[in-house]
Amino acid sequence: MDFSSFLTSLGTSFLLFFVLMCLFTWLSRRPSNHVIYYPNRILRGLDPYDGFRATRNPFTWIREALASTEADVIRCSGVDTAVHFVFLTTVLAILVLAGVIILPILLPISITARGIVKVNDTTSEGTFDDLDKLSMGRIEESSPRLWAYLLSTYWVSVVTYYLLWKAYKHVADLRAEALMSPEVKCEQFAVVVRDIPPPTGGQTRKEQVDSYFKAIYPDTFYRSMIVTDNGKVIKIYEELEGYKKKLARAEAIYASSKKGGNPEGIRPTTKTGWLGLIGKKVDAIEHYDAKIKELIPKLEAERKLTLKDKQQCAAIIFFNNRTTAAAASQSLHDTMVDTWTVLDAPEPRQIIWTNLPKHFYQRQIRQYVIYFIVFLTIFFYMIPIGFVSAFTTLENLKKLLPFLKPILDQQIIRTVLGAYLPQLALLLFLALLPKFLLFLSKAEGIPSESHAQRAASGKYFYFSILNVFIGVTIGSTLFSTLKEVEKDPNMLFTLLAQSLPGSATFFLTFVALKFFVGYGLELSRIVPLIIFHIKKKYICKTEAELKEAWTPGDLGYATRVPGDLLIFTVVLCYSVIAPLIIPFGVVYFGLGWLVLRNQVFKVYAPSYETYGKMWPHIYTRIVASLILYQITMLGYFGVKKFYYAPILIPLPITSLLFAFICDKKFYRFFQTTALEVACRELKEIPNMEVIFRSYVPLCLRSDSEKADEDQFEDALSHVSRSSSMA
């Protein structure tokens, strides 16, 4: 990419962001669009402008975001969201503190150097000379000026250690404050039990579980809920709910047909065959009503059968004291680790019921198999990404598609495609992967949705680093040096160090595209707005369908966190080699903080709460990025033949030691709840029956509590009804 293409990319990206920001200001003021721009506030029963000003100023949202506090974020969106902002603030601070020292020192050193940039040292494959003048590649081999770059490498590492430690302690305090809240939280009174052995002595599963926990916790055990195989009952329940929605839709269509001067209206019809497309044509309202009446007794019968005969080797145990529940979740209950496995209960809305009965060794085997599949996925994805990196250059497109040569030779088209084509192709590839990784994570046997999201996030991060960062960086030279790498695997880091400067401009443009276009689309919500209005006009007929069309979802941690970590890794690894990338990283995370602050208060609604359990995952990946940066810099100093390069060897060792110390000091509290936190008093006596019923799956709930009592006699115990204060 030449200098004009780079400036074109930046200029058009900024212009597009400004246009999208103005669109956001204009569109968000229209009442018909409030459900797209203020769904969080609407779901909480607030007026869209309550506490905010309705204005035409396109920068008002920035002032509102800056005026908000961490307590506001927790109150509106929970601790997990506040922890995500701690992550953004931490990496932003790392880049700012690093840049304050690095930029004023390294840029003048690079500019005043008289060395000739070699082919391997150019930041943009020899086409962007102005950027080469600001990079480490301009420094001569063995030059004393390299001391400044070596000390800068240490400075970035020290800043990262300090801010990560400070952030870890802050997140631990946030988690403790939330968990010791006097508010009653259902998950704090329950634990999940897996790997229950077969009952003996003629006991039922319910009797076995009740007697076991009653013997260990005689004063605080309240009740148990045996996990059942709900496959068939879920199928009937979903079919019933589907017909209820279809009936409501048919009735809405019939009601609207009466408004056009036809008081009798036109009754909708449907066909009885596949998807309502084939078969006999019948009255839709009567057909759906008949199906509902047919399925209700069928569902009730299947519920009773499921609760009686389909009990499995897992259960939810309830205690009337949250200190006991916290102690139980971190205690060894049997001499063998593969029986009576007890862990913290997630929120009711998080539980993946089908994974709870999976046995200990089955989970272990699944985990290793999934890791192997992920490894294959990462490896084979390098092939298409390598092709993207190689074939989306304009010269290669001319060779592969000669008929496009007259078009590609046009200066405007050449400039625009040169600026955007490789980055857009790469982003398209990345968009196809997250759902597959989430599916694999759930297949491991993970018990909760939030845990599966964290696992998928980790897989996506390593995929992004290996395929996007390393793959794009060394993709052009890896295949030609594959035999040398096979003989000496350590050569991979040297190869990465040699190839890193050549991809600087690509990643500069990649980061700019992500923060200007990505956050512009995030703020303006153009795509959700268009989809909503299409659904509203042509598809949605009922209020329930309309609400489903605009319900926003959560922040999407499984893709958002690894995406941000990828940008941080790229900026970190280039921070000394090409310091000009640091301001791009600062703008990315600063603008991301502002945009997400607005979205959290007005748009996104959290789908679960883990009280900061995502943080250890984020922290570990930041340290992994730091180690990659340190090893890469060590390799690059070796390429520069700097005699004192071994001085950097202590850095990765220090990073591993730092990670070990943080893990031992902080991590345990993020696995389980500290008893000191759990023993705090509640402001009211917990209603244990409400807590218990919150964990009953929707497909097993009846319309009345009396019916529940009759049905749950087999799978749900009634050992204790005390409701002593926690």
Side-chain angles (χ1 to χ4, degrees):
M1 182 189 298
D2 57 25
F3 188 60
S4 63
S5 294
F6 179 72
L7 290 181
T8 300
S9 173
L10 285 183
T12 54
S13 296
F14 175 76
L15 181 62
L16 184 58
F17 176 78
F18 185 76
V19 170
L20 290 172
M21 186 170 64
C22 292
L23 272 175
F24 158 73
T25 305
W26 177 58
L27 292 172
S28 63
R29 298 181 73 253
R30 299 173 65 88
S32 60
N33 297 334
H34 283 175
V35 292
I36 296 299
Y37 293 101
Y38 304 97
N40 178 293
R41 302 183 63 76
I42 292 172
L43 289 172
R44 289 187 292 139
L46 301 175
D47 184 85
Y49 296 120
D50 186 18
F52 299 95
R53 293 177 58 192
T55 175
R56 295 180 180 179
N57 186 343
F59 301 102
T60 300
W61 64 276
I62 297 178
R63 184 171 64 251
E64 293 169 350
L66 291 172
S68 63
T69 64
E70 187 173 68
D72 295 331
V73 173
I74 294 173
R75 185 168 54 253
C76 174
S77 197
V79 177
D80 286 338
T81 305
V83 168
H84 188 72
F85 280 107
V86 172
F87 160 56
L88 294 178
T89 305
T90 301
V91 295
L92 178 62
I94 290 171
L95 297 179
V96 169
L97 286 179
V100 165
I101 300 298
I102 287 177
L103 291 172
I105 294 176
L106 297 190
L107 291 183
I109 291 175
S110 297
I111 292 172
T112 58
R114 297 182 179 180
I116 299 174
V117 181
K118 296 183 178 180
V119 174
N120 286 340
D121 286 335
T122 180
T123 55
S124 50
E125 301 175 2
T127 60
F128 192 177
D129 296 334
D130 290 334
L131 185 58
D132 293 331
K133 294 176 184 178
L134 305 176
S135 72
M136 185 177 171
R138 187 175 170 85
I139 308 299
E140 295 178 343
E141 293 179 355
S142 304
S143 171
R145 291 174 180 246
L146 291 172
W147 274 107
Y149 293 88
L150 188 145
L151 293 175
S152 296
T153 304
Y154 263 92
W155 169 249
V156 172
S157 301
V158 170
V159 165
T160 305
Y161 297 144
Y162 170 72
L163 291 175
L164 278 181
W165 179 273
K166 189 176 177 181
Y168 216 142
K169 191 174 185 308
H170 179 58
V171 173
D173 291 340
L174 288 179
R175 176 173 169 81
E177 186 178 352
L179 290 175
M180 67 175 62
S181 166
E183 301 290 336
V184 174
K185 299 179 176 68
C186 297
E187 63 274 13
Q188 289 187 309
F189 293 86
V191 296
V192 172
V193 182
R194 309 173 84 176
D195 310 310
I196 301 174
T200 57
Q203 284 184 315
T204 64
R205 179 74 74 183
K206 176 180 74 68
E207 292 170 343
Q208 174 200 21
V209 172
D210 287 350
S211 60
Y212 184 86
F213 281 95
K214 185 68 174 176
I216 300 174
Y217 308 100
D219 299 324
T220 53
F221 173 68
Y222 174 73
R223 201 169 177 183
S224 68
M225 176 188 297
I226 307 299
V227 175
T228 54
D229 181 3
N230 300 332
K232 192 171 181 180
V233 73
I234 286 176
K235 185 177 179 180
I236 298 172
Y237 174 79
E238 290 178 347
E239 186 180 2
L240 176 61
E241 291 300 308
Y243 279 121
K244 287 180 179 179
K245 290 180 180 178
K246 289 178 180 178
L247 177 61
R249 178 182 176 84
E251 289 175 341
I253 293 172
Y254 179 52
S256 64
S257 69
K258 296 180 179 180
K259 298 177 182 178
N262 183 8
E264 295 183 0
I266 301 173
R267 292 183 68 86
T269 60
T270 187
K271 294 183 179 180
T272 58
W274 181 70
L275 295 178
L277 300 175
I278 59 175
K280 182 182 177 182
K281 183 180 287 189
V282 295
D283 183 286
I285 295 176
E286 293 178 358
H287 175 69
Y288 296 144
D289 189 53
K291 284 289 185 181
I292 291 170
K293 291 177 180 177
E294 176 187 330
L295 286 171
I296 287 176
K298 187 178 179 181
L299 177 62
E300 293 298 324
E302 186 58 37
R303 279 174 175 162
K304 293 179 180 179
L305 182 65
T306 298
L307 291 168
K308 183 178 181 181
D309 298 333
K310 297 183 180 181
Q311 299 177 18
Q312 297 184 303
C313 59
I316 311 290
I317 306 300
F318 299 89
F319 300 94
N320 54 33
N321 183 293
R322 65 178 181 177
T323 306
T324 305
S329 68
Q330 49 194 293
S331 301
L332 184 65
H333 284 76
D334 192 84
T335 55
M336 299 291 111
V337 296
D338 59 345
T339 55
W340 296 104
T341 305
V342 181
L343 61 150
D344 276 332
E347 293 176 306
R349 57 183 173 174
Q350 290 191 50
I351 295 180
I352 305 174
W353 293 98
T354 54
N355 282 347
L356 294 187
K358 289 182 171 57
H359 293 277
F360 180 84
Y361 293 109
Q362 184 184 2
R363 299 196 300 271
Q364 298 297 315
I365 293 171
R366 280 172 169 263
Q367 188 177 54
Y368 290 121
V369 170
I370 294 301
Y371 286 168
F372 180 68
I373 293 173
V374 171
F375 169 78
L376 293 179
T377 303
I378 291 173
F379 179 78
F380 287 111
Y381 246 77
M382 289 186 74
I383 297 174
I385 285 189
F387 277 106
V388 168
S389 178
F391 294 148
T392 52
T393 62
L394 295 180
E395 297 304 321
N396 284 332
L397 281 176
K398 289 180 184 179
K399 294 176 183 177
L400 293 170
L401 305 171
F403 61 89
L404 291 179
K405 190 174 183 303
I407 300 174
L408 296 176
D409 284 337
Q410 309 246 348
Q411 183 60 34
I412 296 177
I413 294 176
R414 183 183 181 84
T415 300
V416 172
L417 288 181
Y420 286 115
L421 186 60
Q423 291 80 7
L424 289 175
L426 182 58
L427 291 174
L428 180 61
F429 265 104
L430 291 178
L432 302 175
L433 191 67
K435 288 189 180 297
F436 176 64
L437 294 180
L438 183 60
F439 166 78
L440 290 179
S441 298
K442 290 182 178 180
E444 290 181 39
I446 288 173
S448 69
E449 185 68 32
S450 62
H451 190 175
Q453 294 273 349
R454 293 196 298 275
S457 177
K459 296 177 179 67
Y460 193 43
F461 167 74
Y462 290 116
F463 168 86
S464 300
I465 295 300
L466 291 171
N467 284 284
V468 179
F469 179 51
I470 297 178
V472 169
T473 301
I474 67 176
S476 58
T477 57
L478 178 62
F479 294 106
S480 60
T481 58
L482 197 56
K483 291 184 179 180
E484 288 80 357
V485 173
E486 287 178 0
K487 293 177 183 177
D488 183 15
N490 292 328
M491 183 187 174
L492 188 62
F493 291 106
T494 304
L495 182 63
L496 176 62
Q498 291 175 338
S499 306
L500 211 61
S503 301
T505 307
F506 173 88
F507 285 116
L508 278 173
T509 312
F510 181 71
V511 174
L513 187 67
K514 287 273 284 184
F515 66 68
F516 277 138
V517 179
Y519 284 128
L521 291 172
E522 171 79 59
L523 181 67
S524 64
R525 290 180 60 79
I526 291 294
V527 175
L529 181 69
I530 293 172
I531 293 174
F532 167 72
H533 281 293
I534 290 174
K535 287 183 176 180
K536 181 180 179 182
K537 184 172 180 63
Y538 299 106
I539 299 175
C540 299
K541 301 299 181 183
T542 66
E543 288 297 322
E545 290 177 339
L546 203 59
K547 184 178 180 180
E548 188 177 346
W550 59 257
T551 299
D554 59 15
L555 280 172
Y557 297 110
T559 54
R560 189 178 296 276
V561 170
D564 290 342
L565 284 170
L566 171 64
I567 298 298
F568 175 71
T569 304
V570 168
V571 176
L572 191 68
C573 288
Y574 279 102
S575 60
V576 173
I577 294 175
L580 194 62
I581 201 172
I582 293 178
F584 286 79
V586 170
V587 173
Y588 175 85
F589 288 106
L591 189 60
W593 189 95
L594 287 172
V595 171
L596 289 183
R597 204 75 160 187
N598 178 81
Q599 304 301 79
V600 160
F601 285 115
K602 299 175 184 176
V603 179
Y604 294 118
S607 59
Y608 57 78
E609 177 62 76
T610 66
Y611 308 104
K613 281 191 175 183
M614 177 64 92
W615 174 254
H617 159 89
I618 295 173
Y619 161 82
T620 302
R621 274 69 189 181
I622 293 177
V623 173
S625 301
L626 181 64
I627 293 173
L628 177 63
Y629 154 72
Q630 292 163 344
I631 294 175
T632 303
M633 290 306 301
L634 180 61
Y636 193 55
F637 276 107
V639 171
K640 284 291 185 179
K641 299 179 181 178
F642 188 50
Y643 182 76
Y644 299 99
I647 293 177
L648 292 177
I649 291 177
L651 278 182
I653 298 172
T654 304
S655 296
L656 291 172
L657 183 62
F658 176 74
F660 176 79
I661 292 172
C662 285
D663 180 76
K664 293 300 180 184
K665 182 175 178 65
F666 297 110
Y667 183 59
R668 180 76 186 276
F669 178 48
F670 286 84
Q671 287 182 302
T672 54
T673 302
L675 300 185
E676 179 191 21
V677 170
C679 71
R680 302 303 174 95
E681 291 187 1
L682 298 171
K683 69 178 183 180
E684 60 183 1
I685 297 176
N687 187 330
M688 293 305 302
E689 200 61 24
V690 171
I691 292 173
F692 171 80
R693 292 190 180 282
S694 68
Y695 277 89
V696 177
L698 287 175
C699 61
L700 296 180
R701 295 181 186 178
S702 294
D703 295 332
S704 66
E705 291 189 10
K706 182 65 173 66
D708 280 342
E709 295 291 339
D710 295 338
Q711 288 187 72
F712 296 165
E713 193 65 35
D714 291 296
L716 312 180
S717 69
H718 301 260
V719 172
S720 170
R721 290 309 176 93
S722 61
S723 299
S724 61
M725 187 173 182

